[in-house]
Amino acid sequence: MSHTETTGNIRLRQNMTSLVMGLRRSTIPPTADIALAQSSISDEVQFQGELVRRKRIVLLAPKCSTATCTMCPLPNEALDDTREITSEDLIAQIDNAFPVEEAGDVEMVTIYNNGNFFSDSEMAPMVRVHIYNRVAESNARILTVESLPQFITPPKIAESKRLLNGKRLAVAIGLQSASDQVRKYAVNTTCTKKSFEAASRLLTENDYSTLAFLLIKPPFLTETEGIVDAVESIGYLSSLGINDPILCPTRVAPNTVAEMLLIEGKFRPPWLYSIADVLNRSAQEYPESLPRVVISELHPNANSDSVCASNCEKCNDEVIGALAKYNNSRDPAFLEMNCDCYEDYLREINVEEMMWKAQPLAERVSSFLK
């Protein structure tokens, strides 16, 4: 690649980042009680072949320090400096969401802060220490958090080892795609393969687990490209020994570039058929890999401000139910589906291919920005 091309691509990403950041708007109401977590639910989830009881807590956090992604709604679900959220507020949220009397019934505690758990600008060290101590005192065996890899450092991991008292730590990392082109231009993330692999090695060396988020059909990709990209990304993770990727079908949320593309008729979330196709192909090509689909991203009622992956009204609920059964069993037999809208699916694939296929990804992004 020439120097001019390199400079042009850097400028392209800078322009996209400016657009993404300019679109951000907090969706948290100003009356929200900052002593309470954004959400707190109890459920069951597969973890390394085992169904475990989980407490899943999403903190009402102040910001995401890396809010550059073209599709991610989570930075808009933080208050982002509109109201101060102190460390004491975050600790109160944790204690209210995970009271002592519930500590004996949970095998896994998942704590998300709509950003990066290991970023000191997002979560002060005293909050992490409180979380470690809280989990160490409970019957939970596993703590799951989320962070981009550049914040996962030896001192941060050493602190967790010291305080978790032998409990397991699993860190979810938003890799999104194994393709450098897709991550750079379609997603506009700061995550690189080099930093991802370094963080994964560090976690493995400490007997911790790496969980990886992958997108199904990032913005600017066609349906067919999205399927191929997801399957190839599952293969890449499998080559690293990461065999339980978490698949996130792109949800089009307000105040994102994905929403702009949707309005312009240049993008729609993936069809449910495509999600099933990814799972079927990965089962054939990488049978050791057992990906899980984030079902919550598929429910319009839970994401009323968003456009979610879908087929048609007649089969949506049935197919989402089948995907949920697949999650619990990892059996592709649940993915057999038959509906009249499959013909519409095939037609739309052809329309997308005609619109985007002839254009390299960076050129699509450049054309959109112009």
Side-chain angles (χ1 to χ4, degrees):
M1 180 177 289
S2 70
H3 174 72
T4 301
E5 289 172 327
T6 302
T7 302
N9 288 339
I10 291 172
R11 187 177 299 112
L12 186 68
R13 297 199 69 195
Q14 289 172 338
N15 291 341
M16 179 59 80
T17 297
S18 295
L19 175 60
V20 170
M21 302 296 277
L23 290 171
R24 295 293 184 199
R25 299 289 185 278
S26 175
T27 58
I28 299 298
T31 55
D33 187 343
I34 57 178
L36 298 177
Q38 182 180 329
S39 67
S40 175
I41 61 171
S42 297
D43 62 6
E44 291 186 329
V45 65
Q46 283 269 0
F47 179 76
Q48 297 181 340
E50 179 186 5
L51 195 63
V52 298
R53 297 185 305 277
R54 177 177 73 160
K55 169 66 74 170
R56 181 182 183 273
I57 301 166
V58 180
L59 298 176
L60 183 55
K63 65 177 179 179
C64 171
S65 60
T66 53
T68 64
C69 297
T70 56
M71 75 298 150
C72 186
L74 299 184
N76 299 331
E77 297 173 12
L79 281 181
D80 198 17
D81 299 329
T82 56
R83 287 168 67 190
E84 182 184 7
I85 297 182
T86 66
S87 297
E88 289 74 17
D89 294 325
L90 291 175
I91 288 172
Q93 291 180 32
I94 294 158
D95 290 346
N96 287 326
F98 190 43
V100 173
E101 55 269 24
E102 291 187 10
D105 299 325
V106 174
E107 296 170 282
M108 172 187 284
V109 179
T110 296
I111 296 181
Y112 294 144
N113 59 311
N114 288 335
N116 299 283
F117 181 83
F118 292 107
S119 168
D120 289 345
S121 68
E122 299 178 44
M123 181 173 286
M126 67 178 288
V127 181
R128 284 195 297 271
V129 168
H130 183 79
I131 291 170
Y132 294 147
N133 289 334
R134 189 78 184 79
V135 172
E137 294 165 358
S138 75
N139 286 342
R141 297 181 285 114
I142 309 151
L143 169 64
T144 304
V145 300
E146 181 179 8
S147 179
L148 281 171
Q150 59 264 37
F151 302 111
I152 304 171
T153 62
K156 297 280 176 64
I157 297 303
E159 179 185 62
S160 72
K161 293 289 285 188
R162 188 174 70 253
L163 297 176
L164 275 175
N165 194 27
K167 305 297 175 80
R168 190 80 177 268
L169 180 69
V171 183
I173 302 174
L175 176 66
Q176 313 304 3
S177 171
S179 164
D180 294 336
Q181 294 285 306
V182 171
R183 281 197 321 281
K184 287 180 181 179
Y185 303 121
V187 180
N188 196 47
T189 178
T190 59
C191 181
T192 66
K193 270 186 178 178
K194 182 179 180 180
S195 62
F196 175 83
E197 292 176 9
S200 180
R201 283 195 300 271
L202 177 63
L203 292 168
T204 300
E205 289 166 0
N206 285 275
D207 199 27
Y208 284 167
S209 299
T210 301
L211 304 176
F213 285 117
L214 296 177
L215 280 179
I216 298 181
K217 195 183 178 186
F220 298 100
L221 267 62
T222 68
E223 203 84 16
T224 302
E225 290 169 338
I227 292 168
V228 171
D229 179 70
V231 174
E232 290 180 349
S233 297
I234 291 169
Y236 163 73
L237 291 173
S238 181
S239 72
L240 299 178
I242 301 171
N243 292 316
D244 50 356
I246 304 169
L247 305 182
C248 299
T250 295
R251 166 167 63 96
V252 177
N255 310 318
T256 62
V257 167
E259 183 188 46
M260 294 182 69
L261 287 167
L262 178 73
I263 292 170
E264 293 183 9
K266 296 178 179 177
F267 183 76
R268 67 150 277 169
W271 288 71
L272 300 177
Y273 291 119
S274 294
I275 300 171
D277 197 359
V278 168
L279 296 172
N280 277 317
R281 291 193 194 190
S282 68
Q284 293 172 9
E285 297 183 32
Y286 309 105
E288 72 284 353
S289 188
L290 299 171
R292 170 172 68 88
V293 179
V294 181
I295 300 296
S296 61
E297 293 293 286
L298 304 178
H299 286 291
N301 291 339
N303 305 286
S304 57
D305 61 349
S306 301
V307 180
C308 301
S310 63
N311 281 354
C312 74
E313 290 186 1
K314 187 166 71 173
C315 72
N316 277 342
D317 290 343
E318 180 182 352
V319 176
I320 292 172
L323 290 169
K325 290 177 181 177
Y326 163 84
N327 273 356
N328 287 334
S329 66
R330 299 304 202 271
D331 184 354
F334 285 109
L335 303 175
E336 296 180 9
M337 52 191 75
N338 183 24
C339 182
D340 295 340
C341 68
Y342 189 73
E343 295 300 321
D344 297 327
Y345 169 65
L346 295 178
R347 280 193 294 271
E348 185 159 316
I349 284 178
N350 289 331
V351 170
E352 281 190 335
E353 291 298 314
M354 292 287 290
M355 179 171 59
W356 285 122
K357 189 66 175 178
Q359 220 176 5
L361 186 55
E363 288 185 16
R364 298 178 201 180
V365 175
S366 179
S367 177
F368 165 77
L369 288 172
K370 288 176 182 177

